[in-house]
């Protein structure tokens, strides 16, 4: 039986990129936590980072709408929207109006501002589905968004992590 299991693992291993083979087991604790908790945690952080934008109504286009974010190489999904002037995290009770999917590195590159969304979409490293008009509004907002200076250490840290190279990438 051990030989059979090892054969299955050896046959499946080449199909999984090296970075995914490294990250997937490490993210098991994240995948065990309900997605609504992931989404609510991310929403709490984004409410702080985007406080001024929310106050100025720059995210009103998301009011009553939901956007899904799927980091497919680690198996984590987020669902976010705006309600009552705040970013909220949601579970899987209702499908998002628009979704963006890609690998962890692609989202890190976006967050660190090393790559723009257009480049990643054209290279097919990010994929969008659902209401593309909503997705474009969000993309345009994020392209124009400048994080407050107090978040510069986080942006620099994301930049360093995004610059890491994994074997096979």
């Amino acid at each position: 039986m051990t030989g059979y299991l090892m054969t299955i693992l050896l046959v499946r291993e080449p199909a999984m990129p090296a970075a995914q083979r490294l990250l997937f087991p490490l993210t098991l604790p994240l995948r065990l936590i309900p997605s609504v908790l992931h989404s609510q945690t991310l929403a709490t952080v984004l409410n702080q980072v985007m406080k001024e934008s929310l106050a100025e109504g720059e995210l009103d286009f998301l009011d009553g709408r939901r956007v899904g974010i799927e980091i497919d190489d680690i198996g984590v999904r987020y669902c976010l929207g705006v309600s009552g002037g705040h970013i909220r995290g949601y579970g899987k009770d209702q499908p998002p109006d628009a979704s963006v999917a890609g690998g962890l590195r692609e989202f890190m590159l976006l967050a660190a501002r090393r790559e723009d969304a257009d480049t990643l979409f054209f290279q097919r490293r990010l994929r969008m589905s659902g209401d593309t008009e909503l997705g474009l509004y969000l993309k345009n907002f994020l392209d124009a968004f400048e994080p407050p200076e107090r978040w510069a250490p986080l942006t620099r840290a994301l930049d360093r992590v995004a610059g890491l190279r994994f074997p096979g990438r």
Side-chain angles (χ1 to χ4, degrees):
M1 183 146 180
T2 304
Y4 176 72
L5 181 57
M6 190 60 112
T7 303
I8 290 173
L9 290 175
L10 290 175
V11 170
R12 292 189 63 183
E13 190 172 334
M16 186 182 282
Q20 188 174 358
R21 283 194 311 269
L22 176 68
L23 291 174
F24 200 77
L26 296 175
T27 60
L28 177 63
L30 287 176
R31 292 190 314 274
L32 293 175
I33 298 170
S35 65
V36 68
L37 293 178
H38 285 278
S39 298
Q40 290 171 345
T41 302
L42 180 58
T44 300
V45 172
L46 291 176
N47 275 310
Q48 293 302 309
V49 173
M50 298 180 175
K51 189 180 222 173
E52 290 83 13
S53 296
L54 285 162
E56 293 171 9
E58 294 177 24
L59 288 165
D60 286 354
F61 67 90
L62 275 175
D63 196 27
R65 312 289 304 275
R66 294 182 185 194
V67 175
I69 302 167
E70 182 176 345
I71 306 175
D72 48 21
D73 57 354
I74 62 172
V76 177
R77 291 183 180 91
Y78 300 94
C79 188
L80 303 168
V82 172
S83 176
H86 295 288
I87 298 172
R88 309 269 186 218
Y90 299 98
K92 299 177 185 177
D93 59 328
Q94 188 175 342
D97 298 297
S99 291
V100 177
L104 177 62
R105 184 159 192 276
E106 284 68 35
F107 285 107
M108 296 293 283
L109 290 168
L110 277 176
R113 300 188 160 288
R114 283 182 146 214
E115 291 277 355
D116 63 277
D118 288 334
T119 300
L120 296 173
F121 281 112
F122 288 130
Q123 293 175 351
R124 298 177 190 249
R125 293 166 57 193
L126 285 180
R127 300 167 309 282
M128 185 183 301
S129 60
D131 184 343
T132 53
E133 183 178 1
L134 177 63
L136 288 174
Y137 274 114
L138 182 60
K139 183 200 82 63
N140 291 336
F141 166 77
L142 293 173
D143 285 345
F145 178 74
E146 288 295 327
E149 187 57 36
R150 68 182 182 276
W151 293 97
L154 176 62
T155 305
R156 284 192 298 273
L158 288 171
D159 184 54
R160 282 193 293 274
V161 172
L164 293 176
R165 289 285 180 197
F166 294 101
R169 285 207 80 160

